[in-house]
Amino acid sequence: MSDTQYIGIFDSGLGGLTVAKSIIHTMPEENILYFGDTAHVPYGTKSHKQIRELAVNDVRFLSRFPLKAVVVACNTADSVAMGTLQEQFDLPIFGVIEPASHKAARTTRNNRIGIMATSATVRSGAYEKAIHRYNENAQVFQKACPLLVPLVENGRYRKDDPVVQIVLKEYLDELTANGIDTLVLGCTHYPLLSEAVQSIVPELTVISSSEAAADALKRGMKELGLCETEGDGIQHYYVSDDAEHFEENARVFLGEDMKATAELAQI
Ligand code: DGL
């Protein structure tokens, strides 16, 4: 592996595979090293201090391999730990919040933007701060949606699922009551819910942090002269627990056609 340079991607678990999927699609020539901290998922309900410590450990693990960049493919870790990671590691580090905020700030026509995210992300106020950097007139309405990650992890994300509909409606009602025209799915698991969200509120422009992140990564890496120009990238997957079940569970996030296995990380 030593001649190969990777884009190191990490998440609290498997949700960040939605980001990896977008990156593989957008930059198929890049080599990807994914680490899912499945021993400690979820991060979204943990304290900021603990999330920072876990994020530092995640990048430490990735740094055992030759990296050209790191992607924090977890909204929660990005919202809380990005500053710490940038201080501690001498690597280009990209996130998911900045790109999605930029896109939302430019997309809204009535300056009312909704954010659905984990409790820790909402508490950090990171989306609001980032959106105001690009559009100071925007009003940002956040909603912590703690039931959504467990739902998706249990395979419940399809738009015709009555449980998904009930839970989403409850969360969306509060946001739509504020007259939002743009909604950011500010969590790695939520892109899977995007069809269900659109079936409830078809008039909203829905922005997935996972897709926005891949586009921004490509732009950022190009600027730094880090992009591969040819070849087919390879992918390696590591998890901190339960590698046996990776293949089955990862398919939910990577897509049915992506066959991937993971190794257990010795951390
Ligand atoms: N990856 C997290 C995020 O994007 C969701 C899962 C968790 O809470 O760890 O916020």
Side-chain angles (χ1 to χ4, degrees), residues 11-13 15-16 41-45 73-77 118 121 149 186-189:
D11 175 44
S12 53
V41 69
Y43 284 7
T45 49
C74 173
N75 288 258
T76 304
T118 64
T121 300
V149 166
C187 171
T188 49
H189 288 58

Side-chain angles (χ1 to χ4, degrees), residues 75-76 100 113-119 121-122 127 131 140-148 164 167-176 180 182-191 193-194 196-198 200-201 204 206-209:
N75 288 258
T76 304
I113 300 170
I115 311 289
M116 293 171 91
T118 64
S119 306
T121 300
V122 166
Y127 266 106
I131 287 171
V140 180
F141 304 93
Q142 305 191 86
K143 182 73 189 160
C145 308
L147 296 177
L148 297 185
V164 170
V167 175
L168 274 180
K169 267 190 195 128
E170 182 165 322
Y171 289 142
L172 285 165
D173 272 357
E174 200 180 305
L175 292 169
T176 51
I180 60 165
T182 303
L183 174 70
V184 177
L185 302 179
C187 171
T188 49
H189 288 58
Y190 301 176
L193 292 160
S194 124
V197 169
Q198 291 274 220
I200 299 167
V201 280
L204 285 189
V206 175
I207 292 173
S208 146
S209 56

Side-chain angles (χ1 to χ4, degrees), residues 79-110:
S79 71
V80 174
M82 184 56 102
T84 309
L85 296 176
Q86 283 169 336
E87 264 167 41
Q88 296 205 12
F89 296 93
D90 188 18
L91 277 164
I93 304 186
F94 297 86
V96 283
I97 290 181
E98 200 68 28
S101 300
H102 182 248
K103 200 162 171 191
R106 298 288 160 96
T107 302
T108 181
R109 290 165 306 281
N110 71 357

